[in-house]
Amino acid sequence: DKRCAEYYKAGARFAKWRSVVSIPAGPSLIALRDCAYGLARYAAIAQNAGLVPIVEPEVLLDGDQDIDRCLEVQEAVWAETFKYLADNKVLFEGILLKPAMVTPGADSANKASPETVAKYTLNLLRRRVPPAVPGIMFLSGGQSELEATLNLNAMNQKPNPWHVSFSYARALQNSVLKTWQGKPENLKAGQEALLKRAKANSQAQLGQYDPSNESADASQR
């Protein structure tokens, strides 16, 4: 409580807490509940201090599981998370959710198209996330820049009850870092690469992304 109050006084208005679930490691029901309860307590404390909690129940893409197994685990994680958020009287209108998309594991031999990822992920959202939650800010972990942007674009082909957007690191930075390389002479090119990635994902959250101008680097993980 004290730390959140201090952060608010210092000018912060958002907070973030991340809990991680590994599919190859189980997960056990106890692990799921521990993850969910910790997120819920953090969110309640943050809201009491006037902060908007970003709730991040991240299901890692590590492993060779198929997309159906990923959906099964994510449904269980999100069910527990929203149950404990409600128990702790967290205001759903005052949070942002930062989850992973529903995809096959990184080592899976069966890849999924953007349309399939969008279908599974939106089904998960409809089954587990109250429409009162204003925004879903997806992670890009384990995906290439192109995959993450195409998947987000596919999810926004029709209206959703939530603002479905992105909170990417790798899918914004990968080609940027390769272009810049920490060299002063590459600064302008690096900035242009960052603007290109930002624009691509901005268009994807509107369902208007065109991948025809992407470079080969965008498809690399």
Side-chain angles (χ1 to χ4, degrees), residues 13 16 30 40 43 61 65 68 91 98 105 107 129-130 136 138 143 148 168 170 176 196 200:
R13 292 297 179 265
K16 184 177 85 74
I30 291 175
L61 298 186
Q65 64 275 357
D68 290 293
L91 180 69
K98 185 179 177 181
D107 299 323
V129 181
I136 317 294
F138 279 105
Q143 304 178 63
Y168 294 165
R170 184 180 305 180
V176 176
K196 181 178 180 180

Side-chain angles (χ1 to χ4, degrees), residues 2-13 49 51:
K2 291 181 180 178
R3 289 173 63 189
C4 282
E6 290 171 358
Y7 293 145
Y8 185 90
K9 289 179 181 178
R13 292 297 179 265
L51 300 172

Side-chain angles (χ1 to χ4, degrees), residues 26-45:
S28 67
L29 181 58
I30 291 175
L32 293 182
R33 287 179 175 170
D34 182 69
C35 167
Y37 183 76
L39 286 169
R41 285 302 306 141
Y42 136 77
I45 291 168

Side-chain angles (χ1 to χ4, degrees), residues 77-169:
V77 171
W78 291 21
E80 295 293 339
T81 298
F82 278 99
K83 187 265 186 192
Y84 282 114
L85 286 169
D87 286 350
N88 281 272
K89 296 182 171 43
V90 172
L91 180 69
F92 290 161
E93 290 88 344
I95 71 170
L96 292 173
L97 186 65
K98 185 179 177 181
M101 299 178 190
V102 181
T103 69
D107 299 323
S108 174
N110 300 314
K111 304 305 179 185
S113 68
E115 291 73 24
T116 299
V117 171
K119 177 183 176 182
Y120 273 72
T121 305
L122 290 174
N123 281 343
L124 171 63
L125 291 175
R126 295 187 188 104
R127 293 169 184 170
R128 292 293 184 266
V129 181
V133 175
I136 317 294
M137 309 299 163
F138 279 105
L139 297 158
S140 63
Q143 304 178 63
S144 70
E145 292 177 341
L146 185 59
E147 287 171 333
T149 308
L150 285 170
N151 291 338
L152 178 63
N153 187 67
M155 279 186 251
N156 282 297
Q157 293 306 303
K158 295 179 181 178
N160 295 302
W162 326 267
H163 179 61
V164 178
S165 188
F166 64 96
S167 181
Y168 294 165

Side-chain angles (χ1 to χ4, degrees), residues 18-29 31-32 35 57-78 100-108 120 124 141:
R18 173 178 179 253
S19 289
V20 174
V21 173
S22 170
I23 295 179
S28 67
L29 181 58
L32 293 182
C35 167
E58 182 180 4
V59 177
L60 298 175
L61 298 186
D62 300 343
D64 60 0
Q65 64 275 357
D66 62 20
I67 194 169
D68 290 293
R69 175 58 178 157
C70 182
L71 175 63
E72 178 185 16
V73 173
Q74 294 230 42
E75 284 184 336
V77 171
W78 291 21
M101 299 178 190
V102 181
T103 69
D107 299 323
S108 174
Y120 273 72
L124 171 63

